[in-house]
Amino acid sequence: MATASCLLSEEKFLCSICLDVFTEPVSTPCGHNFCSACILKYWDSSDICLCPLCKRIFCPRPELQVNTIVSGLAAEFKMLVQVKASTPDPQLAETADILCDICSEIKEKAVKSCLMCLVSFCEMHLEPHQRVAGLKSHTLLPPVNNLDARICETHSKITELYCRTDQACICVLCIKTNHKSHNVVPLEEEYEAVMAKKDESMANIQKMIQSRSEKIAEIEDSVDGAEKEKEASVQVFTDLIISIQRSQAELVEVIEERYRATKQKAEDFLTDLRMEVTELESRSSQLEQLSQSEDHHHFVQSFPSLSSPLNKDWANIGVHCDLSFGAVRRAVTLLKQRADQLMEELPETKMKRMREYAVDLTFDPDTAYCSLVISQDGKQVVAGDTQENLPYNPKRFEISEEVLAKEGFTTGKFYYEVQVKGKTDWIVGVVRESVETYLVQSVKNGYWAIVSDDNGIHRASSKSDNKIIWTEKLQKVGIFVDYNKGAVSFYDVNSKSHIYSFTGHHFTEKLFPYFSLQGNMDGTNSAPIIITPVPQTH
């Protein structure tokens, strides 16, 4: 197969059985890759299932899956081979169709172009330039088809000077007009100066190729490590007893979710890197060809675009997949309870398990402050502009925009989610049934809640040291209550992050979900508080 201008050599993509580029490559447990059909045929022809390369024996025969990374690389390699085969040599493309301008009938191929005459000549018509004294001083170049580009459009003279200020080829008259006081040198001098930089530019290109090659290897190793981590975790949990099978499934789910995200990110980076490597190699090739050319004008005009560095800096870009579950595997082998504890520390798992205790709540109109407006389905509440004249109810909040849920709880665990998106000031949590509505919201007075205001997020308390370190803008809050353990915890639903927990309390009364809208504040805090549906766990 023809060689491609590619980062990796052709040997990297050859199946060691058929000696051709991979077709549906699969990976054996020992890490070697083969065409799917080749390895299956190889195993079918033998009584022993072993790797053709390292001779490792597999019993029973492993179930193979297509290696998507190798498959994608092989496909790109084939494409590069096709592009290389169909792309003509740039220098040949420039000179192949240039014919003599003097030939009248059958035009011969030009051998030289004259910058003074602005004409291309075949061997026969070039003869006067080699014989006549006045013509011998003319500047001859290998045949070019863009002689008009060597003429100044303004003054119709040869552009034999170079303006370093504007980076343009100019004629002698341009110095007196648009390029007056500019840094102007003869074209030959600029050519020599640019040629002096050629080796350095090519060295820089090679350095960029090398750095991107190393980055590709780093990303591929990271992706491979994620796959190996998943396989190791599956193997460990397969050997565990039924009581921890749930933890096994949850761990695999987390690993696969992170692996998919890492793999997608890696594939995006790899695509960009390979495109840049291809571009750099193309530049290197073009620069090498240009350096062999005697066409100073073409070289000077092309050099800046070929030697300019690529904009993207890959030094600090990488793909790192957080798969630190080795401790889980070791611990679960020794003690099931330790594995359950570690699994609880995963935010995805914690959120999933809390949602198993989701309850269906509705706002209680009998407790709502007189300016609050509750939606027909009882799931949204907003602060109205006017205070309604409502009948007296001992459960009603009469000082500020507060409301409880209809549902109360005296045992077990319960969880619900509240949307506070668009609000600047709010309070959410739980209160005991006998709470005095005129007292300050604090644990001492029967409030277990968190507050959002101009000072950020803090726990409901009369003390000054109640600030919670939290920089993210909260849009949806999850509240989890373990009545029997005396704990009330708050979570950022979007990031699945823990915000704060009240712990070590002894509940003796019914607890009700509590909400405070904190007023409209001239429209800046007019968004509703919404009790949102909790996604079903699977």
Side-chain angles (χ1 to χ4, degrees):
M1 177 175 286
T3 304
S5 177
C6 180
L7 172 67
L8 299 176
S9 62
E10 181 175 359
E11 289 76 11
K12 299 289 185 180
F13 303 104
L14 296 183
C15 170
S16 59
I17 298 177
C18 67
L19 301 181
D20 203 351
V21 177
F22 289 122
T23 300
E24 293 187 357
V26 294
S27 298
T28 59
C30 56
H32 294 115
N33 298 307
F34 307 93
C35 296
S36 177
C38 293
I39 189 62
L40 293 178
K41 184 177 179 181
Y42 180 85
W43 284 346
D44 290 340
S45 63
S46 174
D47 296 333
I48 303 175
C49 181
L50 54 77
C51 174
L53 292 178
C54 66
K55 306 305 179 184
R56 177 177 170 182
I57 298 176
F58 309 113
C59 185
R61 177 187 290 195
E63 182 177 347
L64 303 178
Q65 301 293 331
V66 173
N67 188 321
T68 56
I69 298 295
V70 176
S71 179
L73 290 173
E76 288 187 19
F77 179 81
K78 289 180 179 179
M79 183 179 299
L80 284 172
V81 170
Q82 295 172 356
V83 170
K84 182 69 177 179
S86 62
T87 303
D89 188 306
Q91 185 161 345
L92 290 177
E94 184 181 344
T95 62
D97 298 326
I98 300 176
L99 302 177
C100 176
D101 294 322
I102 307 301
C103 293
S104 58
E105 296 182 359
I106 300 177
K107 290 188 174 291
E108 297 292 334
K109 182 177 178 181
V111 294
K112 291 290 182 180
S113 294
C114 178
L115 282 182
M116 304 298 290
C117 303
L118 295 181
V119 173
S120 295
F121 300 99
C122 65
E123 192 72 46
M124 181 181 69
H125 291 115
L126 181 65
E127 187 270 336
H129 278 74
Q130 299 169 336
R131 174 174 50 83
V132 179
L135 298 178
K136 285 183 178 182
S137 62
H138 287 195
T139 302
L140 298 177
L141 295 175
V144 293
N145 58 5
N146 59 341
L147 287 171
D148 291 341
R150 271 70 172 174
I151 298 298
C152 175
E153 295 181 358
T154 304
H155 305 106
S156 299
K157 287 188 173 293
I158 297 175
T159 53
E160 51 190 356
L161 301 175
Y162 185 79
C163 176
R164 289 177 172 172
T165 304
D166 292 339
Q167 295 185 345
C169 294
I170 63 175
C171 73
V172 292
L173 296 181
C174 290
I175 301 176
K176 301 178 180 179
T177 56
N178 296 337
H179 299 270
K180 190 175 182 179
S181 302
H182 288 188
N183 183 8
V184 177
V185 297
L187 187 59
E188 290 77 6
E189 181 179 334
E190 182 65 16
Y191 170 79
E192 295 297 333
V194 171
M195 278 294 292
K197 301 177 183 177
K198 187 260 296 183
D199 291 340
E200 180 182 355
S201 294
M202 292 189 67
N204 289 335
I205 289 175
Q206 293 302 320
K207 287 181 181 179
M208 287 189 283
I209 292 174
Q210 178 64 27
S211 67
R212 282 151 177 78
S213 300
E214 293 173 356
K215 184 62 67 173
I216 287 174
E218 175 188 331
I219 293 174
E220 289 177 338
D221 288 343
S222 179
V223 173
D224 291 341
E227 182 66 25
K228 291 176 182 178
E229 180 68 27
K230 184 189 74 170
E231 293 175 356
S233 299
V234 171
Q235 185 60 47
V236 169
F237 275 95
T238 302
D239 298 333
L240 296 180
I241 60 176
I242 296 177
S243 62
I244 55 173
Q245 285 181 341
R246 174 185 176 181
S247 296
Q248 170 191 352
E250 291 173 343
L251 181 61
V252 173
E253 181 179 346
V254 171
I255 292 177
E256 289 181 332
E257 179 179 344
R258 297 185 184 181
Y259 166 69
R260 285 192 295 269
T262 301
K263 178 182 175 183
Q264 181 60 53
K265 188 175 182 180
E267 288 177 348
D268 292 343
F269 282 164
L270 289 171
T271 298
D272 291 345
L273 281 164
R274 291 192 184 92
M275 289 176 63
E276 289 193 12
V277 168
T278 301
E279 167 67 16
L280 291 169
E281 289 178 332
S282 174
R283 288 189 186 187
S284 178
S285 175
Q286 293 180 53
L287 195 56
E288 181 60 30
Q289 291 175 354
L290 285 171
S291 66
Q292 306 299 322
S293 173
E294 297 179 12
D295 186 347
H296 299 176
H297 182 282
H298 184 52
F299 185 90
V300 169
Q301 289 290 79
S302 302
F303 183 85
S305 62
L306 293 177
S307 61
S308 62
L310 299 182
N311 293 330
K312 192 164 187 178
D313 182 8
W314 289 92
N316 298 319
I317 296 178
V319 176
H320 306 286
C321 190
D322 181 15
L323 297 168
S324 53
F325 300 110
V328 177
R329 294 199 308 275
R330 291 189 298 271
V332 78
T333 303
L334 300 175
L335 189 63
K336 179 181 77 67
Q337 291 81 359
R338 176 58 178 161
D340 287 340
Q341 179 183 351
L342 289 173
M343 290 300 300
E344 278 289 342
E345 295 177 1
L346 296 174
E348 296 92 340
T349 303
K350 184 181 290 291
M351 183 67 69
K352 180 178 179 181
R353 291 186 177 179
M354 288 190 301
R355 283 174 167 171
E356 294 177 356
Y357 299 95
V359 292
D360 185 19
L361 302 180
T362 52
F363 292 112
D364 184 3
D366 291 340
T367 64
Y369 183 69
C370 59
S371 68
L372 296 183
V373 179
I374 298 174
S375 63
Q376 188 173 0
D377 63 0
K379 300 295 185 180
Q380 297 190 34
V381 61
V382 65
D385 296 328
T386 59
Q387 297 183 4
E388 300 293 332
N389 186 17
L390 300 175
Y392 171 76
N393 191 313
K395 297 191 299 180
R396 189 180 307 282
F397 289 95
E398 297 183 346
I399 297 178
S400 62
E401 296 85 349
E402 302 166 270
V403 63
L404 299 181
K406 289 181 180 180
E407 298 75 18
F409 305 88
T410 57
T411 188
K413 303 173 182 178
F414 62 95
Y415 174 82
Y416 59 99
E417 294 178 356
V418 182
Q419 178 178 307
V420 292
K421 180 179 179 181
K423 296 192 69 62
T424 57
D425 294 53
W426 46 264
I427 307 175
V428 296
V430 295
V431 299
R432 65 187 179 209
E433 186 173 21
S434 64
V435 68
E436 297 291 346
T437 60
Y438 58 86
L439 296 177
V440 174
Q441 297 101 336
S442 67
V443 172
K444 179 181 178 181
N445 295 330
Y447 291 83
W448 292 269
I450 61 171
V451 181
S452 171
D453 57 22
D454 293 339
N455 296 319
I457 304 296
H458 51 92
R459 63 182 184 273
S461 172
S462 58
K463 298 180 180 179
S464 58
D465 60 342
N466 60 357
K467 187 72 179 291
I468 298 173
I469 305 301
W470 192 261
T471 58
E472 300 296 326
K473 183 69 174 177
L474 289 172
Q475 296 187 355
K476 187 180 292 187
V477 180
I479 298 95
F480 179 71
V481 180
D482 189 331
Y483 190 100
N484 299 336
K485 287 187 177 181
V488 181
S489 300
F490 300 85
Y491 295 86
D492 180 348
V493 174
N494 290 344
S495 66
K496 300 179 177 62
S497 303
H498 176 251
I499 301 173
Y500 183 77
S501 290
F502 296 95
T503 58
H505 298 277
H506 180 60
F507 299 135
T508 58
E509 299 181 37
K510 182 178 287 189
L511 297 180
F512 287 88
Y514 164 81
F515 316 87
S516 176
L517 283 80
Q518 300 292 86
N520 273 334
M521 300 183 179
D522 296 326
T524 61
N525 192 43
S526 60
I529 285 181
I530 304 173
I531 300 172
T532 60
V534 176
Q536 296 296 313
T537 58
H538 300 285

